[in-house]
Amino acid sequence: MKPDTRPVFRNMINRIIKGEANALLCWHLNRLYRNQKEYGELAHLLETGVIQCIKTPEREYHPEDHGLLMAIEASMASQYVRDLRRDVNRGVREKAEKGWYPYKPKAGYSVAEFTKELAPDPVRFPLLRRALDLVLTGTWSVEETRIELNGWGYKSPRNSTGDGKPMTRSGMYRFLHDRFYTGVFQFADEWLVGKHDPMLTRQEFEKIQRILAKPDQIRAQAHKFPFTGLIRCGTCGCLVTAEIHTNSYKTTGHSRSYTYYHCTGRKGCPKNSIAADELEAQILTKLEGCRLDPRFVEWALGELKADRANEETVANLISETQGDSLRAVKVKLDSLWEMRHAGEVTHQEFIGRKALYMGQIEALEDEAHLIATKAERDRQTAIRALTFGRDAYDKFTRGGIEEKRQVAFEFGYAYVLTLPTLQIASHPIIDKFRTFECKDHSSQQIGPGDPHIISSDWRAMLDDIRTVASGSEMSFPIDRRASSFPGNTNICKPSTG
Ligand SMILES: [Zn+2]
């Protein structure tokens, strides 16, 4: 209804004034004007004969026609728009007051064809609910859940802009934080109770908010079992869960509890189980194989510290060369400004060349940054891995559930249980530790003063670690949210634990 908001109308008028046309065909006059200003313009063109004729299916308007008739129709046209908008708003309000979410349906819902009421989408609603179940376990990160959800074939509905799309990261967060799914909705800054089927209870919603408030991966919640959510079944790819069996002995009146791990069996796997002790023993054996001599670690950490000074000089040297190229481009950019100022280059040329130089500067800066930080990142990876090799075994054997769980998370980024064997995929550095021969270094004396007696083995080991660290793209510990699990394509739901 506001004047000057219709560029196509503007363009049409301009072309008529230029003489490109002298008549209009339209369905109804109310399609032609939306306000008095537009009407006035057209009426004027018609009266002065620039427009010779406006033709609608009902009638024709000519310059000699009585102006009043059109004026009345024009005011009807803007009244029509006012009414239309009021009706739409009233419809929305009425719908909301009746308890129906009045806007475009949210993910998982659709508008029922006959009643026009919001109903669960038969395909998407159950999939989203299953995703909520995963998040509610507290062992699935948002990103893992999202990948799983899309793996089940979740896609948004087709719309005018194209085919349905898989769930996006931001869409997933919006979904998990949206109170709408508990059966309420927001209208005009108010929360109203909706008539749509809720997807989860308010308690579940609050629990999810609490889970999401904590960092992903190892959440500070109490775990009943150290390895749930970590291991996958080698047969079907489902998560492995744990449960407790209690045996009572009638003769003595005592009872004893045993913990077992088994596949959730969602894909029909027989739920053959392995005793928790046995599973733990397997992890421990592998951990032991990667254990490092504390004295070696101490020496190696010292060496790595010394690396840092060297690397800084190297990085400085490199960035000096980078700096030269960078300065050269910046000089070019400066003179370009001056040339533009003096009118020596056209605006077009200026824009093009400026974009080129800016791109070069960005690329050079990125490169310099990568070189400067790569060495430091590799060093940190080596330091953390060495510390892990020194401490993990003790932490695992002496610690409680949370410590065990944390060590296990850092130790492997994928655990696959194919009964009775547990396979563990570790960071390449940890794998490297396994190859070091366990020699007894106890006869060696080390001190800062006599570096000659450091065994050549140690040097070779540290060189290996440096090589793997700089060759591997992954930092240690591996961010599990970024890596995918083997056999991650199957549908399954871990039990709470
Ligand atoms: Zn299985």
Side-chain angles (χ1 to χ4, degrees):
M1 256 183 87
K2 268 195 212 152
D4 310 315
T5 52
R6 298 200 299 159
V8 177
F9 176 85
R10 190 74 263 148
N11 185 36
M12 181 184 78
I13 294 294
N14 290 344
R15 293 179 65 184
I16 288 172
I17 290 169
K18 266 197 241 161
E20 286 186 48
N22 63 1
L24 285 170
L25 273 177
C26 69
W27 185 249
H28 190 278
L29 283 180
N30 68 21
R31 305 295 168 102
L32 217 44
Y33 337 121
R34 284 284 182 268
N35 55 64
Q36 294 295 338
K37 188 183 173 191
E38 289 173 355
Y39 162 69
E41 221 166 352
L42 272 167
H44 178 71
L45 292 174
L46 190 64
E47 267 171 28
T48 53
V50 178
I51 296 175
Q52 290 289 316
C53 175
I54 298 176
K55 189 174 158 65
T56 71
E58 280 73 40
R59 59 165 296 183
E60 289 182 17
Y61 301 88
H62 294 282
E64 60 275 14
D65 278 344
H66 202 280
L68 186 66
L69 188 65
M70 272 183 78
I72 292 167
E73 292 199 38
S75 65
M76 281 169 63
S78 41
Q79 187 59 40
Y80 169 83
V81 177
R82 272 196 292 267
D83 290 349
L84 188 69
R85 191 163 63 185
R86 199 192 54 219
D87 290 348
V88 168
N89 283 342
R90 189 165 58 205
V92 165
R93 175 162 293 279
E94 260 172 27
K95 207 170 172 192
E97 278 165 4
K98 280 185 192 153
W100 293 106
Y101 181 69
Y103 306 115
K104 189 173 162 252
K106 300 214 182 203
Y109 291 84
S110 53
V111 173
E113 205 178 328
F114 295 110
T115 60
K116 300 285 172 213
E117 288 167 354
L118 207 59
D121 179 306
V123 178
R124 296 174 186 90
F125 188 93
L127 289 182
L128 288 170
R129 173 64 227 191
R130 244 151 84 194
L132 290 177
D133 285 341
L134 295 189
V135 176
L136 279 164
T137 60
T139 56
W140 284 70
S141 72
V142 175
E143 185 57 6
E144 284 168 5
T145 311
R146 185 183 73 88
I147 290 164
E148 196 87 1
L149 174 67
N150 289 332
W152 299 333
Y154 179 88
K155 279 207 167 96
S156 68
R158 264 188 75 94
N159 62 19
S160 53
T161 58
D163 278 328
K165 304 236 160 36
M167 180 63 89
T168 61
R169 258 167 209 258
S170 58
M172 192 71 191
Y173 275 96
R174 266 202 306 281
F175 165 60
L176 293 171
H177 287 301
D178 197 343
R179 203 170 277 279
F180 169 85
Y181 291 96
T182 65
V184 295
F185 66 92
Q186 206 168 13
F187 181 76
D189 294 326
E190 254 187 301
W191 283 100
L192 303 175
V193 177
K195 285 193 181 139
H196 58 277
D197 289 356
M199 195 178 283
L200 76 175
T201 66
R202 208 163 51 78
Q203 288 75 14
E204 286 174 323
F205 179 81
E206 299 303 339
K207 184 175 175 194
I208 286 178
Q209 305 317 304
R210 282 198 302 277
I211 290 171
L212 295 185
K214 286 169 189 158
D216 262 345
Q217 204 171 105
I218 304 164
R219 299 205 174 84
Q221 70 176 86
H223 289 96
K224 254 157 81 188
F225 307 104
F227 311 125
T228 45
L230 182 72
I231 305 170
R232 282 182 181 271
C233 170
T235 311
C236 70
C238 285
L239 277 181
V240 168
T241 186
E243 65 184 283
I244 298 174
H245 286 287
T246 308
N247 287 350
S248 309
Y249 301 98
K250 280 185 187 133
T251 45
T252 58
H254 290 288
S255 65
R256 211 183 142 185
S257 296
Y258 302 87
T259 306
Y260 294 96
Y261 283 81
H262 61 75
C263 174
T264 47
R266 303 255 154 192
K267 304 283 275 183
C269 245
K271 294 190 185 179
N272 296 333
S273 53
I274 181 169
D277 292 348
E278 204 187 308
L279 195 70
E280 215 171 296
Q282 287 195 35
I283 297 175
L284 195 62
T285 310
K286 294 211 163 71
L287 261 180
E288 193 168 19
C290 305
R291 210 175 166 190
L292 297 178
D293 184 331
R295 288 162 307 169
F296 163 68
V297 173
E298 194 184 329
W299 169 80
L301 289 178
E303 290 290 298
L304 285 167
K305 215 172 266 173
D307 278 358
R308 181 165 193 189
N310 293 335
E311 270 157 11
E312 268 170 6
T313 19
V314 174
N316 283 344
L317 270 178
I318 295 167
S319 56
E320 251 171 55
T321 14
Q322 299 274 322
D324 286 345
S325 338
L326 203 58
R327 267 189 295 280
V329 183
K330 280 179 177 166
V331 167
K332 279 189 201 166
L333 187 61
D334 279 347
S335 49
L336 181 65
W337 278 100
E338 279 163 23
M339 283 159 79
R340 176 62 195 145
H341 212 69
E344 288 165 24
V345 289
T346 67
H347 183 65
Q348 211 71 20
E349 275 178 294
F350 172 72
I351 298 284
R353 279 161 74 176
K354 190 180 137 207
L356 178 74
Y357 295 151
M358 299 294 274
Q360 286 175 351
I361 290 173
E362 255 173 53
L364 282 166
E365 281 175 349
D366 283 356
E367 206 177 317
H369 177 75
L370 273 179
I371 292 168
T373 53
K374 166 102 173 61
E376 179 56 19
R377 270 180 293 144
D378 295 345
R379 213 171 62 90
Q380 287 301 333
T381 295
I383 288 173
R384 281 194 294 266
L386 279 163
T387 316
F388 179 87
R390 180 188 63 195
D391 302 338
Y393 181 87
D394 289 344
K395 199 170 164 190
F396 191 88
T397 44
R398 290 181 200 151
I401 287 174
E402 292 302 328
E403 282 85 1
K404 280 196 169 72
R405 192 174 175 80
Q406 201 193 341
V407 169
F409 262 91
E410 289 182 11
F411 184 46
Y413 58 88
Y415 287 76
V416 177
L417 180 64
T418 314
L419 286 169
T421 312
L422 180 68
Q423 282 172 286
I424 306 174
S426 295
H427 190 286
I429 293 203
I430 303 290
D431 289 336
K432 197 81 222 169
F433 292 174
R434 236 186 282 276
T435 65
F436 295 154
E437 279 177 52
C438 283
K439 285 190 182 151
D440 184 16
H441 299 291
S442 57
S443 58
Q444 286 175 339
Q445 293 294 313
I446 50 163
D450 23 87
H452 333 280
I453 53 167
I454 300 303
S455 100
S456 58
D457 287 350
W458 282 16
R459 286 231 172 268
M461 277 157 70
L462 181 58
D463 283 345
D464 279 354
I465 290 171
R466 283 195 186 107
T467 311
V468 179
S470 70
S472 162
E473 291 296 304
M474 300 173 280
S475 58
F476 180 85
I478 291 176
D479 184 354
R480 293 166 61 91
R481 279 167 294 181
S483 66
S484 60
F485 300 94
N488 200 8
T489 51
N490 290 294
I491 303 169
C492 59
K493 190 179 85 175
S495 74
T496 317

